[in-house]
């Protein structure tokens, strides 16, 4: 790619960017949120067309007008949000949109899929429905889908954002096999330790400009951060000791069953104290989401109790209360859910409208107060450096990181006494992640009880005071984050499941 420029109105997403992708290597594409990484790769995969610049494949200049043309040139992209049809099987999704000669033979498709899986070390059941698959299985189907189309250049956008450490290791083993087979692989990521582990070269973008490309073996994490941000940045989370911890939320024997009758939480008990950060660790689907949603009044509880103890004393059982009842009871609870646009924000509204979702009931008479939400939107825009053309610009058009900043900023601005966050830094760059860690520590120092569900064990051990580990909906342990090790927490994440296997 030479001299690639792409504009969206007044915003220049890529400005004269050049990039070289080589056969038989893994190239990491690194940059802060809104630096133009995904836009650049979207032009290579045919979703956007560049305003200026040229693209050459094997020395021949090409024009890519659609994903179909990109596939014909051997280029495939796996997006951060998967493009699969839930009610179809893996094989049906893989063949979807292809103009195969003769009658459709799903058995022949399944056979070819199994052949691809054996070559690279994938595990896919071609006849399994997508809605029955884990996130990592869906991602595998996406990769097999593009390999089935014969791609030589594979682009993965944030491939490990929703994977556990074990699933990430499996993915990297597969990518190394593909590299050995001569494929060119580009990974868009924010996770520096993964960049160092799996890539051969690293290309860095900053605010739409290409800063340079370096060999992974000849650089360090600190140097890459400095290239991304433009100045020296420390990679340390300052953890202060808990400040006068008092029980704020006490959960006893909490049991939740979903609409299909599956037990999601099984007799979970713990205490979340004021002035401390309680981390929650666990393999994806261990009950983290249901735990936060049941405390927030969004998930029905079968049995158990959730007791809120305010600073001035007295107890209140939150069981059976919905979010409005919790608010009307004078309990200041803030919740940043896992699903940003589906549950946290309204995508078609701007920042001001989304700020108003928390305060619209406070307007007098039939009129909604727009002044305060607008002021708050402008404050957050400046404080968190949100990359948006304006406070009325629809949030669904912003990058994932900017959407997350808006959601986190809004919830913290409500001055909560209990703050719950699920995967608050998923998809965020290093700089923004550390801004959010600082915000969490500020809340902790103010005496807020912070409950933080995270996927990066290293961050949980560095940021939190205690870590509650969930496994299969049960508490497998609560450890002191200052003394616990990564291995100890990792073992607890799989402990109950292992015991269950022995019983079977």
């Amino acid at each position: 790619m030479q001299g690639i420029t792409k504009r969206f109105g007044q915003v220049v997403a890529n400005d004269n960017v050049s990039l070289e992708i080589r056969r038989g290597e893994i190239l990491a594409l690194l940059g802060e949120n809104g630096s133009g990484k995904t836009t650049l790769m979207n032009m290579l995969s045919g979703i956007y067309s560049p305003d200026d610049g040229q693209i050459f494949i094997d020395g021949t200049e090409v024009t890519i007008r659609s994903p179909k043309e990109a596939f014909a040139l051997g280029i495939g992209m796996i997006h951060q949000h998967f493009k699969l049809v839930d009610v179809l099987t893996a094989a049906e999704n893989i063949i979807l949109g292809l103009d195969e000669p003769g009658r459709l033979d799903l058995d022949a498709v399944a056979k070819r899929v199994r052949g691809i899986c054996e070559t690279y070390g994938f595990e896919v059941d071609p006849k399994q429905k997508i809605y029955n698959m884990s996130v990592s299985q869906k991602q595998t189907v996406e990769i097999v889908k593009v390999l089935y189309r014969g791609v030589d250049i594979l682009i993965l956008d944030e491939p490990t954002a929703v994977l556990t450490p074990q699933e990430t290791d499996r993915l990297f083993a597969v990518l190394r096999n593909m590299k050995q087979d001569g494929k060119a692989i580009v990974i868009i990521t924010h996770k520096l330790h993964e960049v160092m582990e799996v890539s051969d070269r690293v290309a860095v973008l900053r605010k739409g400009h290409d800063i340079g490309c370096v060999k992974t073996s000849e650089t360090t994490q600190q140097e890459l951060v400095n290239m991304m941000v433009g100045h020296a940045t420390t990679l340390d989370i300052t953890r202060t000791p808990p400040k006068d911890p008092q029980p704020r939320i006490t959960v006893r024997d909490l049991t939740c069953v979903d609409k299909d009758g599956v037990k999601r939480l099984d007799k979970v008990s713990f205490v979340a104290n004021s002035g401390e950060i309680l981390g929650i660790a666990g393999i994806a689907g261990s009950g983290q989401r249901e735990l936060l949603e049941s405390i927030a009044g969004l998930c029905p509880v079968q049995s158990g109790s959730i007791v809120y103890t305010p600073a001035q004393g007295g107890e209140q059982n939150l069981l059976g209360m919905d979010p409005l009842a919790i608010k009307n009871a004078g309990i200041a609870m803030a919740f940043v859910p896992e699903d940003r646009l589906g549950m946290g924000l309204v995508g078609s509204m701007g920042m001001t409208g989304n700020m108003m979702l928390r305060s619209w009931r406070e307007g007098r008479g039939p009129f909604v107060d727009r002044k305060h939400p607008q002021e708050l939107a402008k404050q957050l825009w400046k404080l968190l450096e949100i990359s948006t053309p304006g406070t009325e610009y629809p949030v669904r058009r912003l990058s994932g990181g900017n959407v997350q900043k808006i959601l986190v900023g809004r919830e913290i601005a409500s001055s909560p006494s209990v703050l719950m966050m699920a995967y608050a830094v998923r998809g965020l760059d290093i700089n923004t992640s550390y801004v959010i860690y600082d915000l969490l520590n500020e809340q902790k120092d103010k005496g807020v009880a912070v409950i933080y569900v995270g996927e990066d064990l290293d961050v949980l051990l560095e940021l939190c005071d205690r870590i509650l580990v969930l496994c299969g909906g049960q508490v497998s342990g609560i450890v002191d984050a200052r003394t616990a090790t990564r291995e100890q927490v990792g073992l607890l994440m799989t402990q109950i499941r292992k015991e269950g296997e022995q019983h079977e």
Side-chain angles (χ1 to χ4, degrees), residues 89 91-92 94-96 98-114 126-127 148:
T89 64
E92 287 164 345
I94 287 163
I95 201 75
L96 198 63
L98 281 180
D99 193 12
E100 298 278 285
R103 282 185 65 198
L104 177 60
D105 184 352
L106 279 173
D107 288 334
V109 173
K111 190 177 177 185
R112 198 173 146 201
V113 167
R114 288 192 188 98
K127 295 184 177 172
Y148 192 94

Side-chain angles (χ1 to χ4, degrees), residues 209-228:
H209 299 270
D210 60 337
I211 302 304
C213 196
V214 293
K215 282 188 178 175
T216 310
S217 57
E218 295 172 3
T219 190
T220 63
Q221 287 194 28
Q222 189 62 58
E223 282 175 14
L224 291 173
V225 170
N226 296 349
M227 285 173 76
M228 278 167 61

Side-chain angles (χ1 to χ4, degrees), residues 88-94 124-130 133 141:
L88 299 183
T89 64
E92 287 164 345
N93 269 281
I94 287 163
V124 172
D125 176 1
K127 295 184 177 172
Q128 189 178 356
K129 298 274 190 187
I130 299 297
M133 291 186 177
V141 172

Side-chain angles (χ1 to χ4, degrees), residues 18 32 64 89 114 123 143-144 152 161 168 199 212 235 264 316-317 342 363 372 389 395 409 439 448 473-474 499:
S18 296
E32 293 188 273
I64 307 171
T89 64
R114 288 192 188 98
E123 290 176 20
I143 296 173
V144 173
D152 294 313
T168 299
S199 69
L235 292 177
R264 293 294 177 187
Q316 188 149 16
N317 196 343
H372 290 99
V395 297
L439 288 172
V448 175
Q474 297 179 2
E499 284 174 14

Side-chain angles (χ1 to χ4, degrees), residues 314-497:
E315 289 185 351
Q316 188 149 16
N317 196 343
L318 304 184
L319 217 60
M321 294 172 80
D322 63 17
L324 184 58
I326 291 170
K327 186 183 176 185
N328 290 341
I331 300 165
M333 188 181 287
F335 178 34
V336 177
E338 186 178 358
D339 184 359
R340 299 166 190 172
L341 287 173
M343 198 173 176
L345 300 168
V346 177
S348 57
M349 296 198 308
M351 281 179 69
T352 304
N354 276 291
M355 296 304 128
M356 213 184 294
L357 291 177
R358 261 201 164 275
S359 62
W360 66 273
R361 286 189 179 87
E362 289 156 24
R364 291 205 176 98
F367 299 105
V368 172
D369 176 15
R370 287 188 69 85
K371 189 181 170 192
H372 290 99
Q374 186 129 34
E375 285 170 5
L376 177 58
K378 285 177 178 170
Q379 281 172 18
L380 293 178
W381 189 8
K382 194 174 174 183
L383 175 70
L384 299 178
E385 296 177 355
I386 295 164
S387 184
T388 174
T391 55
E392 303 302 324
Y393 190 76
V395 297
R396 67 180 152 76
R397 294 193 187 171
L398 302 179
S399 69
N402 287 306
V403 170
Q404 186 71 326
K405 285 184 195 176
I406 292 167
L407 182 52
V408 170
R410 184 191 73 192
E411 293 303 305
I412 285 177
S414 67
S415 301
S417 60
V418 178
L419 173 62
M420 299 187 291
M421 285 196 177
Y423 310 108
V425 298
R426 180 180 282 171
L428 295 189
D429 57 70
I430 290 288
N431 215 27
T432 311
S433 298
Y434 280 80
V435 167
I436 286 180
Y437 301 148
D438 288 343
L439 288 172
L440 290 179
N441 273 317
E442 275 177 30
Q443 295 301 303
K444 168 186 162 179
D445 292 341
K446 285 179 182 173
V448 175
V450 181
I451 303 174
Y452 177 81
V453 175
E455 55 200 344
D456 191 326
L457 281 187
D458 296 316
V459 168
L460 283 170
L461 290 164
E462 213 179 322
L463 174 72
C464 302
D465 299 294
R466 292 180 300 137
I467 299 173
L468 174 133
V469 187
L470 286 174
C471 179
Q474 297 179 2
V475 176
S476 57
I478 299 176
V479 298
D480 184 337
R482 287 173 170 78
T483 55
T485 63
R486 200 172 190 276
E487 291 70 30
Q488 183 188 352
V489 177
L491 199 62
L492 286 169
M493 284 164 75
T494 55
Q495 198 169 14
I496 288 174
R497 201 162 292 176

